[in-house]
Amino acid sequence: MEQYVVYGGTPLVGEVEIGGAKNAALAILAASVMTDETVLIENMPDVRDTNILLQAMESIGVRVNRIDSHTVEVNASSIHELVIEDDYIKKIRASYYLLGALLGKYHKAEVALPGGCNIGSRPIDQHIKGFKALGADVRIEHGLIITEAAHLRGSHIYMDVVSVGATINVMMAAVMAEGVTIIENPAKEPHVVDLANFLNSMGANIRGAGTDVIRIRGVSRLHRTEYTIIPDQIEAGTFMFAAAATKGDVTVRNVIPKHLESISAKLNEIGCDVVEAEDAVRVVSSRPLNHTHVKTLPYPGFPTDMQPQITVALGLSCGTSIVTESIYESRFKYVDELTRMGASIKVEGNTAIIDGVARYTGAGITAPDLRAGAALVIAALAAEGMSTVDDIHFIERGYERFPEKLRGLGAQIEKVENERDIRKFRFRVV
Ligand code: EPZ
């Protein structure tokens, strides 16, 4: 079984290059099927989730040409079916972006209904509400969401909850609808804006992405484009909190500092020095960390995808911190693992009450999901002694070459496959 082994206690120091945003890439890949012309996408992260979505696209006839590990050409002129199988949805929820993309282009799509997942229940009522408002019929049969429309018409849609996925799906479905669509209370995440920019580069007419109202004037067709995906806000934030927790000095490069503001603000608050440059941010953690309160919120609030990482750092701060998770109900599953490393954290409902401890100690831990997995690696890097991290396939969904990038900062971490590898690692580091 593949694991990470980590020998902690070394401050992370140096520079790390941040890749393309996984969550922008997933939306953009799905949207790339909306033209029959060839689309070139650069700065594509080479992670499990994007690779599975590409496979799902190939399964319906999309031609995918990988020019290199971060550049892909997509041609959807030979799509031969509009059904996305359960297998893909089981592996990656974001396959459901093909629902909006195929509905928008072919006026029909069938995608397996995603279930809940490790971070909690994941309803899709807002996606369905948006498709219906555009004139589509939506029904759920035999585990599939089936949506079709004789004609898609622009509409005024108010989102009852701020949803990244629903905003993205409805935006794609509306791009070629007749007339104007207005989405009120949309998600404003950088990847929503990136998708709008991508679609506009294909000839769409979308205004207001990133604000409280998105206006989409339908166009009759989309055309070829070449597009570069934005840097990954969450990958960058993960390395920034790794610097904080290990008492390190890390510069994340190829980032958009504006996207990192809520993360930088919290790092400042807990006593780190954060220095912004044009496309880099440096985090220096040279003083004892302070406690703080934080609540996850839609962008520009503090991201739920950074909640486990800040909790790991606050677990090592002076005093009592409170972390409130307002987006997903089950996103504290990793706390039991952290407790095994010596953290003192009590979870009550959607709130974690954290009494800072002086140190963590290495342990055998298991990643419960993608971001919590990365956060537990940070804990292991900060801890005294050796840890093993199981279920790293979750981490590989969204972090490219994670151990390699951490080793570039001086971390002692390796991906291993068996006991022999672990013994070799132990022999080398201890
Ligand atoms: C996206 O998920 C991200 N995934 C998640 O990142 C991220 O945690 C989340 O947005 C929040 O920022 C991708 O971009 C592929 P939502 P998504 O719809 O779109 C409720 C990661 O680690 N809701 O914004 O599924 C929902 O229950 C992943 O990279 C409804 O009630 O999230 C949640 O409470 C994990 N009805 C809230 O909205 C709906 O129809 C936000 O969910 C849709 C959502």
Side-chain angles (χ1 to χ4, degrees):
M1 187 177 58
E2 290 184 336
Q3 294 176 309
Y4 291 154
V5 271
V6 182
Y7 191 79
T10 313
L12 297 190
V13 177
E15 298 186 350
V16 58
E17 196 74 22
I18 300 305
K22 174 199 69 125
N23 288 344
L26 293 169
I28 285 171
L29 280 178
S32 70
V33 309
M34 297 189 75
T35 175
D36 282 345
E37 298 179 16
T38 299
V39 168
L40 179 87
I41 306 168
E42 293 177 311
N43 205 28
M44 171 70 58
D46 185 11
V47 292
R48 194 162 286 177
D49 274 14
T50 50
N51 290 329
I52 291 170
L53 181 57
L54 282 165
Q55 283 167 19
M57 288 160 57
E58 284 180 308
S59 77
I60 57 168
V62 177
R63 287 197 300 271
V64 172
N65 176 19
R66 288 161 189 273
I67 293 174
D68 61 41
S69 58
H70 297 131
T71 312
V72 67
E73 241 173 24
V74 174
N75 184 292
S77 59
S78 48
I79 286 185
H80 50 68
E81 65 172 308
L82 304 175
V83 184
I84 304 299
E85 299 292 344
D86 199 23
D87 277 1
Y88 295 109
I89 277 285
K90 275 194 188 132
K91 286 185 191 153
I92 149 193
R93 285 181 61 84
S95 308
Y96 71 5
Y97 285 157
L98 290 167
L99 208 52
L102 296 175
L103 175 66
K105 185 179 178 196
Y106 297 104
H107 292 187
K108 183 166 178 9
E110 294 186 21
V111 175
L113 183 66
C117 73
N118 290 356
I119 57 176
S121 129
R122 310 276 293 264
I124 56 156
D125 54 301
Q126 299 304 305
H127 304 237
I128 293 174
K129 173 178 164 173
F131 294 155
K132 284 187 172 166
L134 295 170
D137 176 48
V138 185
R139 52 189 202 279
I140 294 171
E141 282 173 7
H142 310 296
L144 290 173
I145 313 171
I146 303 168
T147 177
E148 49 194 324
H151 188 70
L152 290 169
R153 267 182 324 276
S155 179
H156 198 129
I157 301 160
Y158 180 84
M159 296 280 178
D160 303 309
V161 291
V162 178
S163 160
V164 171
T167 305
I168 284 174
N169 245 336
V170 174
M171 212 152 78
M172 291 192 290
V175 145
M176 288 190 273
E178 186 193 331
V180 176
T181 298
I182 295 179
I183 308 177
E184 298 217 48
N185 198 28
K188 296 183 247 182
E189 267 67 4
H191 39 292
V192 171
V193 179
D194 209 32
L195 172 67
N197 289 340
F198 172 73
L199 287 166
N200 284 342
S201 77
M202 294 166 85
N205 184 342
I206 304 173
R207 300 286 171 261
T211 74
D212 290 329
V213 184
I214 299 179
R215 282 190 174 71
I216 305 165
R217 183 173 292 280
V219 295
S220 56
R221 61 182 285 277
L222 299 177
H223 54 68
R224 64 174 299 283
T225 187
E226 293 182 4
Y227 193 81
T228 303
I229 293 173
I230 53 165
D232 198 305
Q233 172 204 19
I234 305 300
E235 186 195 14
T238 300
F239 281 101
M240 290 162 75
F241 271 100
T246 63
K247 303 259 148 263
D249 177 349
V250 172
T251 301
V252 288
R253 295 211 162 274
N254 181 35
V255 296
I256 299 174
K258 172 91 190 135
H259 294 166
L260 300 171
E261 269 173 2
S262 63
I263 295 165
S264 299
K266 280 293 159 196
L267 283 163
N268 257 320
E269 224 171 276
I270 64 174
C272 297
D273 296 312
V274 182
V275 186
E276 287 182 7
E278 200 185 324
D279 66 351
V281 178
R282 179 178 177 194
V283 178
V284 185
S285 173
S286 54
R287 294 184 291 275
L289 298 177
N290 301 324
H291 61 103
T292 191
H293 291 189
V294 61
K295 180 175 182 178
T296 61
L297 287 170
Y299 190 84
F302 191 85
T304 173
D305 290 349
M306 287 300 305
Q307 180 261 100
Q309 300 89 318
I310 193 172
T311 300
V312 163
L314 293 177
L316 293 169
S317 70
C318 309
T320 302
S321 299
I322 295 180
V323 175
T324 307
E325 171 57 59
S326 77
I327 313 285
Y328 293 115
E329 78 262 28
S330 308
R331 223 172 183 175
F332 283 122
K333 283 188 180 157
Y334 63 93
V335 163
D336 288 342
E337 299 298 283
L338 207 50
T339 304
R340 299 178 57 242
M341 302 179 77
S344 172
I345 304 178
K346 200 164 106 189
V347 177
E348 285 180 1
N350 67 342
T351 302
I353 302 149
I354 306 161
D355 284 320
V357 295
R359 58 179 193 136
Y360 295 145
T361 48
I365 46 182
T366 302
D369 63 71
L370 164 61
R371 306 302 173 187
L376 289 171
V377 170
I378 298 179
L381 292 166
E384 275 177 29
M386 201 165 120
S387 299
T388 53
V389 185
D390 283 345
D391 284 352
I392 58 171
H393 58 94
F394 283 118
I395 301 173
E396 291 175 343
R397 291 181 57 171
Y399 291 89
E400 186 176 333
R401 299 187 308 109
F402 198 40
E404 289 82 352
K405 287 189 182 188
L406 288 166
R407 279 202 297 273
L409 299 170
Q412 313 223 59
I413 176 170
E414 219 151 88
K415 180 169 161 177
V416 294
E417 281 176 13
N418 49 43
E419 275 302 319
R420 203 167 131 254
D421 290 347
I422 298 178
R423 277 199 303 275
K424 266 165 54 188
F425 177 82
R426 194 194 304 271
F427 182 72
R428 199 161 46 71
V429 298
V430 181

